Amino acid sequence: MNGGSAVHNGSRLNERPLPDATTAATNPVGTAVIGAGYWGPNIVRNAMALEETDLKWVCDRDEARASRLVGAQSAIRVTRDIDEVLADESVEAVAIATPPATHGALAYRCIEAGRHVLVEKPLARSYAEGLMMVRAAEERGLVLHCDHTYCYTPAVQKIRDLIDAGELGTPLYYDSVRVNLGLVQQEVDVFWDLAPHDISIVDFILGSGRELLTVTAEGADPLGLGHACVGYLTLRFDDGLLAHCHLNWLSPTKIRTTIVGGSHRMVVWNDLLPAQRVSVFESGVDLAEIDLSPGEQRRRKVSYRMGSMVAPALREREALLGVLEDWTGAIRSGTKPKTDGHAGLRVLRVLEAAQASMCNGSTPVCLGTMVAPR
Ligand SMILES: NC(=O)c1ccc[n+]([C@@H]2O[C@H](COP(=O)([O-])OP(=O)(O)OC[C@H]3O[C@@H](n4cnc5c(N)ncnc54)[C@H](O)[C@@H]3O)[C@@H](O)[C@H]2O)c1
């Protein structure tokens, strides 16, 4: 997607002049944020803190909300009208933090107007819509980034490093619990709201070199909302790796705990324990084959390793700073972002398969049988 993504190809739809390559490397990216609800303010705060971004506008169709967010004394302009934002030539990039149903249309307008885009998870409300967004950005040489925030946390980066360095041995499973008394969403079910976090993390730390075979989802709608508030999602990979995610808006306690089991070591990531988010256990199970006398069956002996635990020091850094750095780096230097539009598409593919599984009595959906729209 990138390979010089800051370089426009002079296509007919993108009339904006190219920034000079040397100034582009040092100038902050003129930025706008659309959406000043729950998540948008976090992007605004981080964009204001980061040297690489120059926040010019906050746009929300509730303009008073945008005004309250930036404050009366701010030089950041507010509007309810995206056209006003796109008419400002100093805006090179737009971050979209509006409800998922609006992502496609808003992103498409920004891309058509020659702007780089950062879109909140989930990238779009369907794979087909996401694919259109990715293609539109690629045709115009623009960066389409997807905010899979957790992939930018020091904890997830550490777990990925441990896996890549072979410290866990062969990864065996990913098991996560993401439950709390969460905001019950009207527009999307618990899978579309919470599962993008786990799917993107699994994709980021375990996706490389293995193929996702099936997706199974089971959901419950105890409130009669018409969609699931409690969900169980299972991903099965070609090497036997199993990822399971428990998602729930109706839990009285908040739990954000993930276990990644490997043949050598196992990691427990408790995101609610800042002093010790990641614990690496030397524990595991070893199997030895015992040969019995001829005629008898071979047996396997199980032995348990109860080793020590290490809690690696992690620097505390807000993940959204990393998201914005990665996005602006891709815009200025053409570096490949960790979670680009294609990463967003992979998440959408799983979400759609989960939906299909639920519609089909929670039977496993083979990803190979899902036809990607052309
Ligand atoms: N990365 C994360 O960890 C994380 C966390 C929470 C939410 N999110 C995502 O952020 C997005 C927004 O979620 P939220 O909880 O902030 O929603 P929200 O409903 O609290 O806020 C959305 C805001 O967008 C505004 N808006 C809607 N349509 C608009 C339009 N066409 N033009 C301008 N403004 C418009 C609304 O007025 C509202 O202020 C969603 O995609 C959600 O999945 C991401």
Side-chain angles (χ1 to χ4, degrees):
M1 170 176 174
N2 293 299
S5 50
V7 179
H8 296 225
N9 57 13
S11 74
R12 64 255 172 250
L13 287 162
N14 186 356
E15 302 296 330
R16 284 167 53 75
L18 296 178
D20 169 68
T22 43
T23 52
T26 50
N27 279 352
V29 175
T31 306
V33 175
I34 307 183
Y38 165 67
W39 194 248
N42 294 323
I43 302 182
V44 166
R45 181 167 41 76
N46 282 280
M48 288 170 76
L50 196 70
E51 280 185 358
E52 288 87 340
T53 45
D54 179 5
L55 185 61
K56 306 272 189 190
W57 289 89
V58 175
C59 168
D60 196 296
R61 55 176 189 212
D62 180 346
E63 194 172 323
R65 189 178 279 173
S67 299
R68 278 196 302 278
L69 175 59
V70 302
Q73 311 272 322
S74 175
I76 300 164
R77 301 172 71 186
V78 297
T79 179
R80 65 194 323 274
D81 182 3
I82 186 179
D83 287 332
E84 216 180 331
V85 172
L86 298 177
D88 180 349
E89 283 294 321
S90 72
V91 174
E92 299 166 74
V94 181
I96 297 171
T98 55
T102 63
H103 291 178
L106 288 172
Y108 203 75
R109 284 183 71 188
C110 295
I111 291 166
E112 267 201 315
R115 288 356 192 259
H116 305 282
V117 178
L118 167 69
V119 183
E120 265 315 314
K121 64 80 193 166
L123 180 66
R125 67 187 146 183
S126 70
Y127 185 93
E129 188 177 57
L131 191 65
M132 272 173 54
M133 291 156 66
V134 167
R135 286 186 176 159
E138 285 181 349
E139 272 169 24
R140 292 160 180 81
L142 296 166
V143 176
L144 172 60
H145 196 51
C146 186
D147 178 17
H148 290 157
T149 320
Y150 277 103
C151 299
Y152 292 83
T153 58
V156 171
Q157 186 60 56
K158 180 70 191 177
I159 298 169
R160 178 169 138 138
D161 291 347
L162 289 167
I163 292 170
D164 288 355
E167 296 278 323
L168 303 193
T170 306
L172 304 175
Y173 62 86
Y174 172 102
D175 200 339
S176 97
V177 183
R178 190 175 296 280
V179 305
N180 62 311
L181 212 48
L183 184 66
V184 172
Q185 309 269 345
Q186 300 296 327
E187 317 257 313
V188 291
D189 69 9
V190 73
F191 291 96
W192 282 77
D193 183 36
L194 296 182
H197 295 310
D198 286 299
I199 301 166
S200 60
I201 294 166
V202 170
D203 180 60
F204 183 62
I205 67 175
L206 293 163
S208 147
R210 55 176 59 81
E211 197 189 335
L212 179 57
L213 294 183
T214 61
V215 174
T216 311
E218 185 156 22
D221 175 19
L223 302 182
L225 277 179
H227 60 232
C229 297
V230 179
Y232 301 91
L233 176 70
T234 308
L235 316 185
R236 188 177 283 280
F237 289 82
D238 60 346
D239 61 348
L241 181 91
L242 201 64
H244 184 262
C245 319
H246 171 189
L247 314 153
N248 189 342
W249 285 328
L250 307 178
S251 159
T253 52
K254 181 167 182 172
I255 306 175
R256 293 283 184 274
T257 301
T258 301
I259 307 172
V260 185
S263 55
H264 295 342
R265 292 188 180 85
M266 298 180 177
V267 173
V268 177
W269 164 35
N270 181 348
D271 205 44
L272 303 184
L273 205 60
Q276 190 183 317
R277 284 191 209 274
V278 173
S279 311
V280 185
F281 291 82
E282 297 271 352
S283 311
V285 172
D286 293 323
L287 290 178
E289 296 228 335
I290 315 172
D291 270 325
L292 299 174
S293 49
E296 286 191 73
Q297 276 190 330
R298 284 162 75 92
R299 278 193 307 172
R300 305 197 108 184
K301 188 177 171 207
V302 176
S303 65
Y304 297 92
R305 264 181 296 113
M306 304 301 283
S308 53
M309 185 277 286
V310 175
L314 300 175
R315 81 180 166 143
E316 282 290 315
R317 186 168 200 255
E318 192 162 347
L320 265 176
L321 275 177
V323 173
L324 294 176
E325 266 174 3
D326 210 18
W327 182 39
T328 53
I331 292 168
R332 286 291 183 250
S333 325
T335 50
K336 179 170 164 42
K338 278 182 196 166
T339 60
D340 59 10
H342 289 278
L345 283 178
R346 291 194 293 278
V347 169
L348 291 175
R349 190 164 160 255
V350 175
L351 289 172
E352 286 198 345
Q355 231 171 352
S357 171
M358 274 196 296
C359 291
N360 218 0
S362 298
T363 50
V365 168
C366 295
L367 272 283
T369 59
M370 290 192 62
V371 181
R374 298 268 145 215

